[in-house]
Amino acid sequence: MGKFFCTIVFYLIIITTSRAHNPNEVSYFFKLESEELVIHLTPKSCVDILETLHPNLKNQSTFSLQTYTTDIEEYFKKHILFYVNGQSVPLKLTKTDMNVHDATLTFMIQNTVSESKNLDITISSFVDIYKKVKNHVFIYGSGIKKHCVLDSKTKHISGEFPSGAPTPLNLFFWLPLTSLSFMLLSIGFAVHRKQKSRFKPFQSI
């Protein structure tokens, strides 16, 4: 059982680490109760944004990301459209940490707390920069977390949060969870069969 648990933990660590290492895989954490949007990306992702906005930077050996904070803020404000109950929610950059491997950008998203929320999110970040993009969207609120993946073809999700009938948000949340559950059951069944094969049935005397 110990080996089985370690295998699952190692599997989850690999998934998380692989996202953090890829500039074209970015995570967006919409924290509704704290009214924050935290974007996790790599410094290379920020560099690629700036070199797209300012091609002359490609000729420079070094430059400070902090110098271009306003440009990065405007880029994401242009490529992230967030609506709650039909009303546009403005984004305001409040904190940056772009000089570490797991870089973060924290935006304030006001007026997002209510008992029933109809969310509408469009994210087109990095579609103009990379051929293959994975924008991981996580939505937190009322003790519930939902997750979906957007890319160059699918840039938009909408649905009722936290309750309501199945929507694209629910679908994308349950698909990876179902796959992981199936994997766990398969491994558990294999371990059970292996242990069972060690014991010979009782023979009649």
Side-chain angles (χ1 to χ4, degrees), residues 19 25-32 37-40 79-82 119-125 134-140 145-151 154-158 161 168-170 172-173 176:
R19 289 180 186 173
E25 291 201 36
V26 180
S27 296
Y28 304 76
F29 292 86
F30 288 84
K31 302 178 180 181
L32 303 183
L37 164 61
V38 182
I39 302 176
H40 287 257
H79 290 86
I80 299 176
L81 303 179
F82 184 36
L119 304 184
D120 193 290
I121 302 173
T122 301
I123 297 180
S124 58
S125 312
K134 285 187 178 181
N135 286 319
H136 297 268
V137 179
F138 298 86
I139 304 173
Y140 293 86
K145 179 181 73 173
K146 295 189 178 183
H147 169 229
C148 68
V149 182
L150 303 180
D151 52 29
T154 305
K155 308 182 188 72
H156 174 257
I157 53 173
S158 62
F161 185 89
L169 290 177
N170 301 61
F172 281 104
F173 170 69

Side-chain angles (χ1 to χ4, degrees), residues 108-120:
M108 180 174 60
I109 49 175
Q110 292 183 327
N111 304 321
T112 60
V113 179
S114 62
E115 293 183 0
S116 180
K117 313 175 187 68
N118 290 311
L119 304 184
D120 193 290

Side-chain angles (χ1 to χ4, degrees), residues 2 6 15 17-18 25 37 47 69 84 108 115 151 158 162 164 180 183 188 193 202 204:
C6 290
I15 293 176
T17 305
S18 64
E25 291 201 36
L37 164 61
V47 170
T69 299
V84 176
M108 180 174 60
E115 293 183 0
D151 52 29
S158 62
L180 180 59
M183 183 198 70
R193 289 191 60 183
F202 289 103
S204 60

Side-chain angles (χ1 to χ4, degrees), residues 68-146:
Y68 298 91
T69 299
T70 302
D71 291 325
I72 292 177
E73 177 183 11
E74 292 301 318
Y75 176 85
F76 282 105
K77 288 171 67 174
K78 177 182 178 181
H79 290 86
I80 299 176
L81 303 179
F82 184 36
Y83 289 82
V84 176
N85 297 331
Q87 296 186 352
S88 176
V89 178
L91 306 180
K92 182 179 180 181
L93 186 64
T94 58
K95 183 180 179 181
T96 65
D97 192 2
M98 296 181 287
N99 296 320
V100 294
H101 180 70
D102 182 19
T104 57
L105 303 171
T106 302
F107 290 83
M108 180 174 60
I109 49 175
Q110 292 183 327
N111 304 321
T112 60
V113 179
S114 62
E115 293 183 0
S116 180
K117 313 175 187 68
N118 290 311
L119 304 184
D120 193 290
I121 302 173
T122 301
I123 297 180
S124 58
S125 312
F126 299 100
V127 171
D128 57 334
I129 298 175
Y130 305 122
K131 291 182 179 180
K132 294 183 179 180
V133 179
K134 285 187 178 181
N135 286 319
H136 297 268
V137 179
F138 298 86
I139 304 173
Y140 293 86
S142 303
I144 298 175
K145 179 181 73 173
K146 295 189 178 183

